[in-house]
Amino acid sequence: MGEFKVHRVRFFNYVPSGIRCVAYNNQSNRLAVSRTDGTVEIYNLSANYFQEKFFPGHESRGTEALCWAEGQRLFSAGLNGEILEYDLQALNIKYTLDAFGGPIWSMTASPSGSQLLVGCEDGSVKLFEVTPDKIQFARNFDRQKSRILSLSWHPAGTHVAAGSIDYISVFDVKSGSITRKMVLDRQHLGVTKSRCIVWGVAFLSDGTVISVDSVGKVQLWDSATGTLVKSHLIANADVQSIAVADQEDSFVVGTAEGTVFHFQLVSVTSNSSEKQWVRTKPFQHHTHDVRTVAHSPTALISGGTDTHLVIRPLMEKVEVKNYDAALRKITFPHRRLISCSKRRQLLLFQFAHHLELWRLGSTAATGKNGDTLPLSKNADHLLHLKTKGPENIICSCVSPCGSWIAYSTASRFFLYRLKYERDNISLQRVSKLPAFLRSALHILFSEDSTKLFVASNQGSLHVIHLSEGSFKHLHTFQPQSGTVEAMCLLAVSPDGNWLAASGTSAGVHIYDLHHLKLHCTVPAYNFPVTALAIAPNTNNLVIAHSDQQPLPNDKTVLYNPLPPKNESDVFLRRTTHGFKMSKIYKPLLFMDLLDERTLVAVERPLDDIIAQLPPPIKKKKFGT
C-alpha cells in the first residue's frame, strides 16, 4: 500500500432530519424510525443495527405516530390525517387511508396486532380492524373535548388509556365508552401552568397507567379508582415520551432537556415482596429534545431533534462485554448520498430536494507524508439542481465522464446531459423516457459512461445505452422466482462485462452484461450486504456484510494474484501487510479513488450539524 494524495472535503452541507418516532418490533428485532421530513428507516438490530431499508420522505407526510401490527406490518400516521401502510418488500407505500378526524397525533396496535387505534385532533379515538390486505374502520370511541395526544392498550386488550390536555381517559374497548377519567395537576414548582399536555401514556398489566406530561412529571395512576399513586418531578421542561419493557420491570422516558431517565421496579427491602418504581439512571446523550424512546430486551433507544439515534445497552442484560455492549450513536443514513466523476474530478451531493455539483480544488505544492497542502485553486460550485414537487430524492448519480446526471424520486425519474465550455456549464434534460423508468432505488453508470443501470422497487434491473444523441433500452433483468425483492446495491466491473446486485435479503446476483443474462447467485450469508465492489484487472467481487468480518492479523500470509513486477515488489509483499487502518477521517460519508495515487474523502463534522439546528432549551448551570 503506497502513499496517497487525499482531497479532504468538508463542504457537503448535509443536515439529517430530526427523529420523530421509533417503534420496536420484538418478533423480528427490528426498529422503525421516522424523521421529521417523512422518511422512514428500518434498522435490523440483529445485524449490527444496520439500516437495511428506507422509505423516502414527502413534504406533506410528516409522521406523528409509528407502530407495528400483525407481526411484520408497519403503519404510520400524521398531521395530514392519513394512515399509511408500508410495503417492506417493494419499499414503497402500499396505500393511504383518511381517518376523517383531522390531524392524527397518536396511534397504537392492539396486543394481538389485529386492531389499530388512532387519536385525532377532533378528540375522536377511532378503531380499525387489520385485514389481510388493508385496514377497515370499525367504530369511534366516545369523543373527547380536546385532541388525543397519546394512546396505550392494556396488555389484555380490554381497555385503552388516552392522554389528552389536562386529563387521561380510560376506555372500554368493547363498548367504546369511558370508564374512568383522571385529571392532572398543572402545578410545576409552585407555579400553575395554563395547561398540562399528556405526551405519553403506558398501560400496565396490573391496571397502572403511567403518564408523562408537559410540566415535567412522570405519574402513576390506579385506573380502577382513578387516583394518583405516585408522582416524580424529573425535569423543568416537558417529558415527551415513554416506553415500557415487555416484562414490565423497567421503563424509559425522554425529556425536552435532552435527558433520558431509566425507571426500574425494585423491592422495597431485601426480604420484601413489595415493589416500587425507582428512578435509577439518567443519561445525557442528546443535545436537544428527546422526542421518542423505545425499550428493547437489551437496550434503551432514543431519538430527537439533534438527529442522533442513540442505543444505550443495558449492561445487566448483556451477557458478553464486547462491541455489542458499546453505546452507539447513528447519525447518517446507511446509503449513498455522494457520487464521483473521476475523469473530471467532480462530486455530486444529494439533498432532500436538490443536488449540488462541485469541482474539486487543486494544489501545485508538494510536501512530505502527513502535510496539509495549500490549495492553488479552490473547489467550484458548478450546479444547483432543484427538484419540483413534494417528494424527496431517493437516489442520484453522476457519470464517470461527468456528462450525465440521473436522479429519482418515488414517482419520477430524471436524466440530464451536461456540456462544459470553459468555465460555463449547460444542462439539458432528456425527455420522453420509457414508461418503466418511473422510479429507482439505485442508479449506476458504467466506467465508460455508455451504460446506465437502474434498479426499480419492483425488483427489476434496467440496462440503458447512452450516447450523445441517443437513449436506448437494451435489456431488463426480471426478479428471480417471481418474488419482488428491491435491489438496493449495484456494482459494475471496470471492463463493463459484469454487474452485481444485492437486494434487501443477503443474496447477491451476478449478471453477464455481454450476453445480457443472469450468470450466477452468490450463496446467501447470515447478515445483509452493506457494500459491493468488483476489483479491476481480476474482476473479483468483494462483499462487505453488516457483521464486519475481522481483518486478517499481522501474521496472515496474503497472496497477490498478480505476478510481481521486480525484486523490490517481491520484498514488499513478504514484509508488508495487505490491510492498513486509518482513523483520521471521521465522520466519513464517502471515500473513493480518483486514480492510483489520489483519494477523495468527504467528512461531515457533527459540530457543524449541531450548529445548524434550532437552539436547545437553556439549562441553568451551577454558579451562573
Side-chain angles (χ1 to χ4, degrees), residues 144-425:
Q144 304 303 293
K145 293 181 180 179
S146 60
R147 64 183 62 149
I148 307 298
L149 293 159
S150 50
L151 289 166
S152 179
W153 289 79
H154 187 277
T158 56
H159 292 80
V160 168
S164 191
I165 298 174
D166 294 332
Y167 61 89
I168 301 167
S169 304
V170 177
F171 294 91
D172 180 88
V173 173
K174 192 172 183 180
S175 65
S177 59
I178 290 182
T179 61
R180 194 67 59 189
K181 182 175 283 190
M182 291 91 85
V183 180
L184 280 80
D185 185 5
R186 300 178 187 174
Q187 287 283 325
H188 175 72
L189 299 177
V191 179
T192 301
K193 299 277 187 174
S194 60
R195 59 181 184 173
C196 180
I197 302 171
V198 183
W199 289 119
V201 289
F203 216 146
L204 304 185
S205 300
D206 63 1
T208 300
V209 174
I210 308 173
S211 66
V212 296
D213 56 46
S214 60
V215 297
K217 294 178 182 177
V218 176
Q219 301 192 107
L220 287 81
W221 305 82
D222 185 333
S223 63
T225 61
T227 56
L228 178 64
V229 177
K230 184 73 175 178
S231 181
H232 299 267
L233 179 62
I234 65 168
N236 292 320
D238 297 45
V239 184
Q240 298 181 310
S241 49
I242 180 171
V244 181
D246 286 342
Q247 294 80 13
E248 297 186 357
D249 57 355
S250 73
F251 67 87
V252 58
V253 299
T255 74
E257 296 173 331
T259 309
V260 172
F261 290 98
H262 187 206
F263 286 76
Q264 290 178 285
L265 191 62
V266 298
S267 299
V268 176
T269 61
S270 58
N271 298 323
S272 173
S273 60
E274 182 184 354
K275 294 186 176 182
Q276 64 180 2
W277 287 103
V278 176
R279 188 182 75 189
T280 56
K281 301 166 190 170
F283 305 114
Q284 190 75 43
H285 300 306
H286 294 274
T287 59
H288 291 63
D289 307 41
V290 178
R291 299 293 303 273
T292 180
V293 291
H295 198 314
S296 80
T298 59
L300 307 179
I301 302 165
S302 55
T305 307
D306 66 3
T307 78
H308 300 312
L309 179 66
V310 176
I311 297 101
R312 171 90 189 190
L314 296 170
M315 299 307 293
E316 64 271 17
K317 302 286 186 180
V318 179
E319 295 180 0
V320 181
K321 303 299 186 288
N322 57 11
Y323 180 68
D324 293 334
L327 174 76
R328 298 170 188 240
K329 276 191 178 182
I330 300 172
T331 302
F332 302 108
H334 297 171
R335 60 183 186 276
R336 191 184 68 179
L337 298 174
I338 303 164
S339 59
C340 177
S341 167
K342 298 180 181 180
R343 196 174 307 171
R344 289 190 178 269
Q345 299 208 343
L346 306 175
L347 290 178
L348 182 69
F349 297 146
Q350 176 183 317
F351 297 84
H353 294 282
H354 75 274
L355 302 172
E356 292 182 4
L357 187 66
W358 289 74
R359 181 188 289 124
L360 292 170
S362 59
T363 182
T366 58
K368 62 182 183 297
N369 187 23
D371 286 352
T372 299
L373 305 180
L375 288 176
S376 55
K377 185 177 181 182
N378 291 327
D380 293 329
H381 186 186
L382 302 178
L383 182 68
H384 182 102
L385 183 58
K386 185 171 174 58
T387 64
K388 294 180 180 179
E391 296 177 332
N392 286 14
I393 298 173
I394 298 177
C395 56
S396 60
C397 194
V398 60
S399 63
C401 69
S403 298
W404 300 93
I405 286 178
Y407 75 90
S408 178
T409 66
S411 62
R412 301 187 70 185
F413 184 88
F414 299 87
L415 180 63
Y416 290 88
R417 173 77 171 168
L418 281 72
K419 293 186 178 179
Y420 302 85
E421 296 178 4
R422 296 184 180 179
D423 292 334
N424 297 322
I425 183 171

